Amino acid sequence: MKSLKTLFALAGYLCCSTSFLSAADQAKPNVLWILTDDQRYDSIQAFNRILHGRDHSALGYVESPNVDRLAERGTTFINTYVHAQGCAPSRASMHYGRYPHHTGIYEFEYHNNNVAHMKPTMPEFMKELDYQTMHVGKLGVRIRTVVNGKAQNYSIYEQDINFKKMWMEGLTDWTKGERTEVNGVKLPKPVHGDWLFSPDGSYEFTGVDLNELPGWEGHSKRVDEKYDLIRMDYGQKSKGYGGGEILGGVSPQPDDKTRDGHYLNEMTRYLENPNAQLTVGSQSYKGVDPSKPLFLHLGFDFPHTPVLPTQAFRERFQSKKYDIPEFDPAEVQKLPAQLSKIVNYKHSDHFTEAKKQQMVQDYFAFCAYGDSLVGQASDAFIEYSEQQKQPWMIVYVCGDHGWKLNEHGALSKFTPWQIDSLNPIVVVSSDTAKFPAGKVVHDLTEFVDIMPTVLAAGGADLQREEYAFLDGYDLAKVASGALPARDYIVGESHAVTGPRATIRTKDYMFSIKSRPHKKRGVDMEWALTASYEALEPMLYHLPTDPSETNNLAHNPEYAAVAQKMKEKLLSIVIEDARVEINWEQWGTGMDATVMDPKPSADDKRLKL
């Protein structure tokens, strides 16, 4: 396979015509959308250089030669922020091109496409633009359709290789679930836990409940120690071997046989076998059709838990010494109850120094391993497009949100702090006029910008009424300066912390409790009249407090700033056509409560 550098250096990327595509489709680029999971922005050297003038994270050494190369050859939108710091709501905002308060998807809800306010997703619109659509890996969009009052599975991509089926069929290095037997021995009751698959097809099982069964007391301990697993503990039940999320360890598989390695394998098989019938486990799919433009979404799992880098990458990081973020317990005293909850629930400062080091080493090793896969995926996609003499575009998104590594004393996501919310985008295109090489855009950008960017590249006229629902901007126009810079970005997330909305400018982050509870469609205007204290406010001045540890929400010197940001935020997330739905189990709910739109509430202007 050619390297990215060689491919990018090739002169004459495109021909003016092709024998494969119709005349109408010749200008439409093949699009590869790469998305990683729980990845911090500072795991990428290029982003550290742009934002901080250094090669590595403030914590220490990181490796990202392939994403760095994408940044060299494309346009980096360095100040891109998520809207909800959880996998499912974040991925929904990208696929729908709408804020959570416009879809009614605030956390991990199963939802349906039958409710009146719902619109087609990005791949569905791309199909209408004559694209073939394919997804490989993690998706995380919990969409259903309702037939005769019952929820049914609904695929938004024409072809979709289900990552969970790959897990359960032993085609990866890890999965989770219940077992009624272990190594051929029947258990007295079903036990939930982790399965680790070896290259020979055998597996080892580790589960906290297994420890309580007679004769199995040492089994989970042996497995966890074999793979050097460190786990999160949430309480007495999950403490010890076989319990809690895996925060560090080593994969039992080589580089090409992990979960993410298998996703890459299937993506390359898809590109290398046009129109061929292919199978992976129990799933079948058809190879790419060169006669149509391609929209391909590759969703990696790394570095989401379980954090299991391969041995080859792990060894390179075990000698690295990291500066673990120090946690000041006094910070919690200034935090609202919602944020204190997440710090306590996902607390990490109690781990030993050795375990903290391993967690960070393994996390960044996992990111480095993933970077190698990103490079291979990009190579394969560009090579396919070049062979077909077709234009192309790569949209690389560094994480569906970030991840704390003892910042604020926690290991988690779910919070509006920058480390969970800043996830830059790199767009690389054969059309270098739209996305110039090496260009860095510092304007505030958002995840809702991804869908209009892809649709516009695919030939959509975003001025048409059918696209009026989109909340974001075409990043090509942001890069060219055709659109004025935003003064702020907004978001709202309900997972774990409870309902919380955030508005962020380049100088300030302000966040409040947006709802008194999670009862959809009830007390929707509560925040408009609630006391300032009841809103549990947070305010940070970013130039003097980039780590966001000094909450100024109750500092009289910043009262005017807090008031303006509160009013602007509430006028958007509460008053401007807010949607709430009781989706019910598996997303069968149909009754939507929609507030009237407030004219010009979200005008992108905020002077402080």
Side-chain angles (χ1 to χ4, degrees):
M1 189 77 69
K2 298 183 181 72
S3 70
L4 269 175
K5 184 176 291 186
T6 300
L7 287 167
F8 278 126
L10 289 174
Y13 284 128
L14 307 169
C15 283
C16 296
S17 63
T18 167
S19 59
F20 296 108
L21 297 181
S22 67
D25 289 336
Q26 285 177 15
K28 295 180 178 181
N30 294 328
V31 179
L32 172 63
W33 173 25
I34 300 175
L35 176 63
T36 65
D37 198 354
D38 285 20
Q39 187 170 6
R40 296 162 57 108
Y41 79 89
D42 65 348
S43 63
I44 304 298
Q45 285 195 2
F47 301 161
N48 287 313
R49 294 184 191 115
I50 294 168
L51 290 170
H52 307 300
R54 59 177 182 247
D55 286 341
H56 300 286
S57 165
L59 280 64
Y61 179 81
V62 296
E63 250 181 58
S64 56
N66 291 286
V67 174
D68 293 351
R69 200 173 298 127
L70 289 176
E72 290 172 5
R73 308 305 301 190
T75 299
T76 300
F77 298 88
I78 194 65
N79 285 314
T80 303
Y81 284 87
V82 309
H83 307 293
Q85 297 82 11
C87 299
S90 180
R91 290 161 186 264
S93 69
M94 287 182 265
H95 273 86
Y96 288 110
R98 306 172 84 186
Y99 298 127
H101 67 272
H102 283 161
T103 62
I105 303 167
Y106 297 99
E107 46 185 322
F108 290 80
E109 301 100 330
Y110 286 93
H111 58 279
N112 70 74
N113 64 343
N114 307 78
V115 184
H117 80 287
M118 295 297 284
K119 301 292 184 182
T121 59
M122 177 163 43
E124 291 171 301
F125 271 115
M126 291 296 278
K127 181 180 178 182
E128 290 181 7
L129 293 168
D130 201 34
Y131 274 77
Q132 58 187 312
T133 64
M134 173 66 166
H135 168 257
V136 181
K138 179 169 179 175
L139 181 60
V141 179
R142 300 186 167 199
I143 190 172
R144 299 288 187 270
T145 194
V146 177
V147 179
N148 297 324
K150 294 184 178 180
Q152 298 182 3
N153 288 335
Y154 177 78
S155 181
I156 59 178
Y157 288 86
E158 292 177 292
Q159 297 197 97
D160 191 340
I161 300 177
N162 187 299
F163 71 112
K164 288 188 177 179
K165 283 186 180 180
M166 293 179 70
W167 291 8
M168 299 310 294
E169 293 174 354
L171 298 174
T172 65
D173 53 349
W174 169 91
T175 190
K176 63 181 178 180
E178 278 193 345
R179 295 295 300 173
T180 57
E181 58 83 23
V182 175
N183 298 333
V185 179
K186 185 173 178 58
L187 301 174
K189 65 177 183 178
V191 172
H192 187 86
D194 301 290
W195 316 356
L196 294 110
F197 294 94
S198 297
D200 63 5
S202 64
Y203 73 88
E204 292 169 281
F205 182 81
T206 170
V208 65
D209 292 333
L210 199 63
N211 301 331
E212 302 172 0
L213 300 182
W216 293 91
E217 294 86 350
H219 181 86
S220 292
K221 178 179 180 180
R222 288 193 296 272
V223 174
D224 281 19
E225 289 182 343
K226 177 179 179 179
Y227 296 103
D228 202 15
L229 304 184
I230 297 178
R231 294 180 179 271
M232 176 66 77
D233 55 73
Y234 302 101
Q236 196 61 41
K237 185 68 174 177
S238 63
K239 287 183 178 179
Y241 297 101
E245 297 169 88
I246 296 172
L247 304 172
V250 62
S251 172
Q253 294 278 13
D255 291 356
D256 61 337
K257 300 296 183 183
T258 67
R259 289 177 293 164
D260 296 307
H262 275 288
Y263 302 158
L264 174 65
N265 292 341
E266 296 310 314
M267 183 202 122
T268 54
R269 287 181 67 208
Y270 170 76
L271 294 176
E272 292 171 355
N273 293 275
N275 295 313
Q277 198 63 40
L278 305 169
T279 60
V280 53
S282 65
Q283 301 182 75
S284 62
Y285 63 96
K286 192 176 181 181
V288 65
D289 180 359
S291 70
K292 299 184 71 174
L294 170 64
F295 176 57
L296 173 58
H297 176 30
L298 177 60
F300 284 119
D301 280 313
F302 81 89
H304 193 291
T305 56
V307 180
L308 296 173
T310 61
Q311 183 65 38
F313 278 85
R314 191 175 193 240
E315 287 176 351
R316 299 216 297 267
F317 283 76
Q318 286 181 308
S319 63
K320 306 300 182 184
K321 174 75 172 178
Y322 288 90
D323 295 323
I324 307 299
E326 294 186 6
F327 173 61
D328 182 357
E331 180 189 349
V332 179
Q333 304 305 314
K334 291 186 176 183
L335 291 180
Q338 286 183 323
L339 276 296
S340 296
K341 175 183 177 181
I342 190 69
V343 170
N344 292 328
Y345 178 59
K346 296 274 193 171
H347 190 62
S348 57
D349 203 50
H350 65 287
F351 283 104
T352 66
E353 178 64 20
K355 286 188 174 181
K356 289 178 184 176
Q357 286 290 329
Q358 183 190 332
M359 290 175 199
V360 178
Q361 290 167 346
D362 288 347
Y363 179 90
F364 285 132
F366 207 11
C367 291
Y369 163 63
D371 177 80
S372 71
L373 303 182
V374 169
Q376 293 175 68
S378 301
D379 284 348
F381 175 75
I382 296 170
E383 185 169 30
Y384 164 79
S385 299
E386 295 287 343
Q387 288 174 346
Q388 303 303 325
K389 297 182 173 62
Q390 295 168 359
W392 53 266
M393 182 172 81
I394 297 173
V395 179
Y396 165 79
V397 184
C398 179
D400 49 5
H401 46 70
W403 180 257
K404 290 181 286 295
L405 289 171
N406 211 57
E407 286 90 357
H408 309 283
L411 284 165
S412 69
K413 47 213 178 191
F414 302 121
T415 68
W417 287 311
Q418 185 180 67
I419 198 62
D420 285 356
S421 307
L422 176 61
N423 292 85
I425 294 172
V426 180
V427 182
V428 191
S429 175
S430 55
D431 186 349
T432 56
K434 286 186 177 179
F435 296 100
K439 185 179 181 69
V440 177
V441 176
H442 291 272
D443 292 356
L444 290 171
T445 45
E446 309 175 88
F447 273 14
V448 292
D449 295 338
I450 295 170
M451 183 168 170
T453 302
V454 171
L455 295 188
D461 179 359
L462 299 183
Q463 299 304 310
R464 292 177 56 178
E465 182 62 28
E466 64 183 301
Y467 302 116
F469 70 91
L470 290 169
D471 286 324
Y473 290 170
D474 175 2
L475 291 174
K477 291 189 175 181
V478 175
S480 70
L483 292 173
R486 296 175 171 98
D487 288 340
Y488 60 84
I489 58 95
V490 297
E492 184 172 358
S493 182
H494 292 196
V496 182
T497 60
R500 177 158 284 270
T502 301
I503 185 168
R504 181 182 287 272
T505 70
K506 287 191 175 181
D507 288 336
Y508 292 98
M509 185 271 271
F510 180 78
S511 182
I512 55 172
K513 183 177 180 179
S514 54
R515 305 282 279 102
H517 48 63
K518 293 185 180 181
K519 297 176 182 178
R520 308 300 190 210
V522 180
D523 300 323
M524 288 175 67
E525 297 184 355
W526 168 82
L528 300 178
T529 57
S531 69
Y532 188 63
E533 289 72 20
L535 294 175
E536 300 186 14
M538 300 164 60
L539 175 67
Y540 297 96
H541 182 234
L542 306 178
T544 59
D545 182 23
S547 298
E548 299 173 333
T549 58
N550 184 25
N551 183 11
L552 301 169
H554 297 284
N555 186 322
E557 295 182 20
Y558 293 89
V561 170
Q563 180 64 22
K564 287 183 179 180
M565 296 189 81
K566 185 194 84 166
E567 290 175 355
K568 189 67 174 181
L569 178 59
L570 292 178
S571 73
I572 297 170
V573 300
I574 302 297
E575 296 184 280
D576 189 12
R578 182 181 183 83
V579 175
E580 293 189 7
I581 301 174
N582 181 9
W583 294 107
E584 300 177 1
Q585 188 176 20
W586 305 115
T588 54
M590 297 288 288
D591 295 328
T593 304
V594 183
M595 295 186 67
D596 294 332
K598 185 175 182 179
S600 301
D602 189 13
D603 59 3
K604 312 303 180 188
R605 306 274 74 87
L606 178 60
K607 301 304 179 185
L608 298 174

